[in-house]
Amino acid sequence: MMNFFRIYVRALKMLGSEATLGWSLAAANVALALAQFAEPYLLGKIINTLVGAEAKRALPDWNELMQLLGAWVGFGLFTIVCGTLVALYADRLAHRRRHAVLTSYFERVLQLPLSYHGGTHSGRLMKVMLAGTDSLWWLWLGFFREHLAAFVFLLGLLPFTIFLNWRLALLLILLCVIFTALTALVLHKAESLQSSVERHYSELAERTSDALGNVALVQSFARVEAEVIGLKNVVAKLLGAQMPVLSWWAIAAVITRASTTLTVLAIYVVGIVLYIRGLTTIGDIVMFTGYAGLLVTRLEQVVGFANRLFLDAPRLKEFFEVYDTVPTVRDDHDAIDPGHVHGKIEFDKVSFSHDGVRPAVADLTFTVLPGETVALVGPTGAGKSTALALLYRVFDPQSGSVKIDGTDIRGFKLAGLRRNIGVVFQEVLLFNRTIAENLRIGNADATDQDLRAACKRAQALDFIDSKPDGMQASVGERGRALSGGERQRISIARALLKDPPILILDEATSALDATTEVKVQAALEEVMKGRTTFVIAHRLATVRNATRILVFEHGQIVESGSFDMLMKNNGTFAALAKAQFLAAGPMRSQIEELSESEADG
């Protein structure tokens, strides 16, 4: 229960800028709860007045009756008007905060490092966002519409009824005790079961997202039936976990209804006995019957609240866990915007490990001057991509430092740092938007002429102009409406529009055919002039003219030098070239000539 209370309070604290309205609604709820005491009380007084007059065989005191009826009308009108305003503004508050928190969650998730996203399924993050904000919306709406008034009413009812008639009040207290014990029992029995239900919901979201995101794979391998069967199995497990929880709450609802019916019956039985003994009045019996009815209504609201909060608690807990995740890579409090950097890069004894056991890079030390082009080569898993990921702070080094223009990049604001670095990824990342929108990710202020110029330099203009909608053509989800080469050229044009002083090409031409690669390579070489450029590549064409080549092996630099120098050394790079980079024509001849000259020497 304490865990639920913390979640409830945490959710209310997220009202943020709406807190003032929230306090006003809370005060209105208290007033509504107190006003609800009036109706049964006034009804009891009216009954006593009529019964008293009948006993005296006289007319009732019309002045007293009119005062009681007038008070009843006044409280009734207040309840209607105040209840309408509370419902109206509670709805508006809940909807506004829901969308504000959803946006805030989305922003926070986007700022989490790639290492977090690598270990957390995007389908789960989407499910957590939607389920969490839905639960918060319901909680805020329910709190200001029903829950607060119900709790205030229950807290005020018992002392008030004890003051009126403690004998009849004991019956209401007994009902509350039974309800509290029942609710505690149900919560205890179903708590662990509901956590299992939420795990199955997350698995359902992840599996669905996986299948839809890889629909081409599903269809090409005839996996439709298998994926549907797999989803049905997840649903079966979910229902198997959910049914016991629902059964417990069904039992709670039945026992609650039964106990309230017995309580009303007991009020009549005990009330008649007390009336015969002169310890109560008919008006008091009617009054307590009215309070019992209100108590039943409020207890049912509390049962509904406890049930819903119990079901939502794991979702809210999961939501807050993601929402509260602190990025491992974030701005320091005194971080500065670097402006436009010159592009001098220094790695000083940089080491980093993904798992804390095996180093991805170890003791990297090298300097790159502005305008130089440095190629990183080596076998898969040698640490090339990790080294450059450290440059634009996907991770931070566990030891050593990375500097730009003599300043540790951890002293820069992340946005300012990344504005200075353009990345063309091996796996092209595109939004399901138009070509123009994807291009303007590189430069939001780019004109149509700028877009066309960048696309022309990236050899992309011809295929864009061949589309009926041109720049306004949609690229589809993850760019599926384009070929691999077309996606890569869009990615290169996007980097050109960004016009950064530092450029990273991670297998930038890997998806291109030979003819297009030659054209794009020429465009890239033109763009690389005057920039500090890092190239990760397995093809000799992309590293042949690099200022320097860094050869990686097991996370360390084992060789460094120009292409010709490394070939003459006949070391690791030469072995890689002969094994992986051999190309037809002049390049093959050049390698053979170098090998022969080394043998002659």
Side-chain angles (χ1 to χ4, degrees), residues 469-486:
D469 296 326
M471 289 284 183
Q472 299 308 311
S474 174
V475 304
E477 185 178 4
R478 300 182 183 178
R480 289 197 182 115
L482 304 177
S483 69
E486 288 171 345

Side-chain angles (χ1 to χ4, degrees), residues 321-368:
E321 284 176 354
V322 177
Y323 191 85
D324 293 338
T325 300
V326 178
T328 54
V329 177
R330 58 186 184 275
D331 290 338
D332 289 337
H333 69 279
D334 56 350
I336 62 171
D337 191 323
H340 189 83
V341 302
H342 296 292
K344 180 182 178 182
I345 312 296
E346 298 172 84
F347 276 65
D348 184 15
K349 297 181 180 179
V350 172
S351 296
F352 176 79
S353 172
H354 294 283
D355 56 13
V357 178
R358 184 176 61 88
V361 293
D363 203 30
L364 292 184
T365 300
F366 63 89
T367 300
V368 181

Side-chain angles (χ1 to χ4, degrees), residues 439 449-462 464-465 471 489 493 496 519-520 523:
L439 289 171
Q449 291 76 14
D450 294 333
L451 299 186
R452 293 185 64 81
C455 290
K456 184 176 181 180
R457 295 172 70 185
Q459 306 296 317
L461 196 56
D462 289 345
I464 292 174
D465 285 341
M471 289 284 183
R489 280 176 275 174
L496 296 176
K519 296 178 181 179
V520 173

Side-chain angles (χ1 to χ4, degrees), residues 276-328:
I276 293 172
R277 295 182 178 182
L279 298 175
T280 190
T281 65
I282 294 176
D284 286 346
I285 296 174
V286 172
M287 185 188 307
F288 271 83
T289 303
Y291 283 131
L294 286 174
L295 182 60
V296 169
T297 301
R298 293 310 183 194
L299 288 178
E300 287 179 343
Q301 288 176 351
V302 172
V303 168
F305 154 72
N307 186 4
R308 179 64 186 265
L309 183 58
F310 176 79
L311 294 174
D312 283 351
R315 299 171 189 171
L316 289 170
K317 182 180 179 182
E318 196 174 26
F319 177 86
F320 290 135
E321 284 176 354
V322 177
Y323 191 85
D324 293 338
T325 300
V326 178
T328 54

Side-chain angles (χ1 to χ4, degrees), residues 60-78:
D61 186 342
W62 288 106
N63 184 47
E64 182 180 358
L65 282 176
M66 292 306 294
Q67 288 179 357
L68 292 171
L69 289 171
W72 195 344
V73 170
F75 279 110
L77 289 174
F78 171 79

Side-chain angles (χ1 to χ4, degrees), residues 8-31:
Y8 200 64
V9 171
R10 172 68 192 279
L12 293 176
K13 285 182 177 179
M14 294 194 76
L15 288 174
S17 59
E18 302 279 358
T20 301
L21 176 59
W23 280 108
S24 300
L25 289 172
N29 269 268
V30 173

